[in-house]
């Protein structure tokens, strides 16, 4: 008689690698580490006899600032050659920091200090940046704006971020100097005798009005004349003219 003893064939190994994964930049390293560990665990297989799944990963996840890691998975089993597959876990690179300084600014003289202070503060706020991970913008300004009578201040702006060295730029805010005061006195005048007092008074008042000045900021012209013109019968009067201004 005849009989048959059969061993059924071992089911074929079917190895399924993790799906290639890409993670966005600017996550923390702890977040990337956790996601990488979870991703490693998605490799799997079916079939085979006494199969063992392993991978060749050693060391940490890719850097959170960008990078990738390819991992090869291997199934060893009793009844067929090893099966392998490879998958890649990628962290996109952090976008580069682009720092834009304020444009160098020049303000005209003869504004109030309050106006200059406000414009300086607004100017400071025009610095900006894009890119980077968890970037912070700061500047080294300390103290007030430049003096409204003239001066300048250079300010350095800095962006610190997780994934690249600090980026810096420098800009300058300038106040034009106030123009110098130029005071022109009346020309010394001599009138002939025997005019009426009214005529002398009128000419004296006109003469007082010929003082003038240019320059300065918010200047005020005054003189120390008190009382009437010199007597029409003879005499003289010396008058001092003064310009007071903000910046000298």
């Amino acid at each position: 008689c005849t009989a048959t003893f059969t061993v059924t064939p071992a089911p074929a190994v079917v190895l399924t690698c993790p799906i290639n994964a890409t993670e966005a930049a600017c996550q923390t390293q702890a977040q990337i580490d956790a996601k990488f560990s979870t991703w490693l665990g998605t490799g799997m297989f079916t079939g085979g006899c006494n199969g063992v799944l392993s991978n060749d990963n050693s060391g940490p996840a890719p850097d959170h600032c960008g990078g990738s890691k390819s991992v090869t998975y291997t199934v060893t089993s009793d009844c067929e050659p090893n099966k392998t597959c490879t998958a890649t876990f990628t962290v996109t690179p952090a976008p580069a920091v682009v720092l834009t300084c304020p444009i160098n600014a020049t303000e005209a003289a003869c504004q109030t200090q309050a106006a200059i202070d406000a414009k300086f503060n607004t100017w400071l706020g025009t610095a900006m940046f894009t890119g980077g991970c968890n970037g912070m913008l700061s500047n080294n300004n300390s103290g007030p704006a430049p003096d409204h009578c003239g001066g300048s201040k250079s300010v350095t702006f800095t962006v610190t971020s997780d994934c690249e060295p600090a980026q810096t730029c420098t800009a300058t805010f300038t106040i034009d100097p106030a123009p110098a005061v130029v005071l022109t006195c009346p020309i010394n005048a001599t009138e002939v005798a025997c005019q009426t007092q009214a005529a002398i008074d009128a000419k004296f008042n006109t003469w007082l009005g010929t003082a003038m000045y240019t320059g300065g900021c918010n200047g005020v012209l005054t003189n120390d004349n008190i009382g009437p013109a010199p007597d029409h019968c003879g005499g003289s009067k010396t008058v001092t003219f003064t310009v007071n201004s903000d910046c000298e």
Side-chain angles (χ1 to χ4, degrees), residues 149-226:
C149 291
S152 65
K153 199 166 198 181
S154 291
V155 179
T156 297
F157 298 82
T158 301
V159 174
T160 56
S161 62
D162 289 349
C163 295
E164 62 179 289
Q167 301 289 312
T168 64
C169 67
T170 300
T172 303
F173 187 91
T174 301
I175 312 300
D176 284 335
V181 172
V182 178
L183 171 58
T184 304
C185 255
I187 298 169
N188 290 335
T190 301
E191 291 290 333
V192 297
C194 298
Q195 301 178 60
T196 66
Q197 189 63 51
I200 293 297
D201 291 346
K203 290 180 178 181
F204 179 69
N205 288 332
T206 299
W207 176 81
L208 287 174
T210 62
M212 63 185 70
Y213 76 97
T214 59
C217 288
N218 303 312
V220 176
L221 174 62
T222 60
N223 65 66
D224 65 351
N225 178 61
I226 299 173

Side-chain angles (χ1 to χ4, degrees), residues 25-42:
C26 299
Q27 301 179 62
T28 66
Q29 190 63 51
Q31 289 174 313
I32 293 298
D33 291 347
K35 291 180 178 181
F36 181 67
S37 294
T38 299
W39 176 83
L40 285 174
T42 61

Side-chain angles (χ1 to χ4, degrees), residues 1 22 48 84 144 147 156 213 218:
C1 65
T22 300
T84 63
D147 192 274
T156 297
Y213 76 97
N218 303 312

Side-chain angles (χ1 to χ4, degrees), residues 3-246:
T4 303
F5 183 93
T6 301
V7 179
T8 56
V13 171
V14 178
L15 172 58
T16 304
C17 252
I19 298 169
N20 289 336
T22 300
E23 289 291 332
C26 299
Q27 301 179 62
T28 66
Q29 190 63 51
Q31 289 174 313
I32 293 298
D33 291 347
K35 291 180 178 181
F36 181 67
S37 294
T38 299
W39 176 83
L40 285 174
T42 61
M44 63 185 70
F45 76 98
T46 58
C49 289
N50 302 312
V52 176
L53 175 63
S54 62
N55 67 65
D56 66 353
N57 178 61
S58 62
D63 192 274
H64 71 123
C65 291
S68 65
K69 199 164 198 182
S70 292
V71 179
T72 297
Y73 291 78
T74 301
V75 175
T76 58
S77 63
D78 291 347
C79 296
E80 62 179 289
N82 292 348
K83 289 288 184 72
T84 63
C85 68
T86 300
T88 302
F89 184 94
T90 301
V91 179
T92 57
V97 171
V98 178
L99 171 58
T100 304
C101 250
I103 297 169
N104 290 336
T106 301
E107 289 291 332
C110 298
Q111 301 179 62
T112 65
Q113 190 63 52
I116 293 298
D117 291 346
K119 290 180 177 181
F120 180 68
N121 288 332
T122 298
W123 177 81
L124 288 174
T126 61
M128 63 186 71
F129 76 98
T130 58
C133 288
N134 302 313
M136 294 188 63
L137 175 63
S138 61
N139 66 66
N140 69 344
N141 179 61
S142 60
D147 192 274
H148 71 123
C149 291
S152 65
K153 199 166 198 181
S154 291
V155 179
T156 297
F157 298 82
T158 301
V159 174
T160 56
S161 62
D162 289 349
C163 295
E164 62 179 289
Q167 301 289 312
T168 64
C169 67
T170 300
T172 303
F173 187 91
T174 301
I175 312 300
D176 284 335
V181 172
V182 178
L183 171 58
T184 304
C185 255
I187 298 169
N188 290 335
T190 301
E191 291 290 333
V192 297
C194 298
Q195 301 178 60
T196 66
Q197 189 63 51
I200 293 297
D201 291 346
K203 290 180 178 181
F204 179 69
N205 288 332
T206 299
W207 176 81
L208 287 174
T210 62
M212 63 185 70
Y213 76 97
T214 59
C217 288
N218 303 312
V220 176
L221 174 62
T222 60
N223 65 66
D224 65 351
N225 178 61
I226 299 173
D231 191 276
H232 69 123
C233 291
S236 66
K237 199 165 198 181
T238 299
V239 179
T240 298
F241 297 81
T242 301
V243 174
N244 289 301
S245 63
D246 290 347

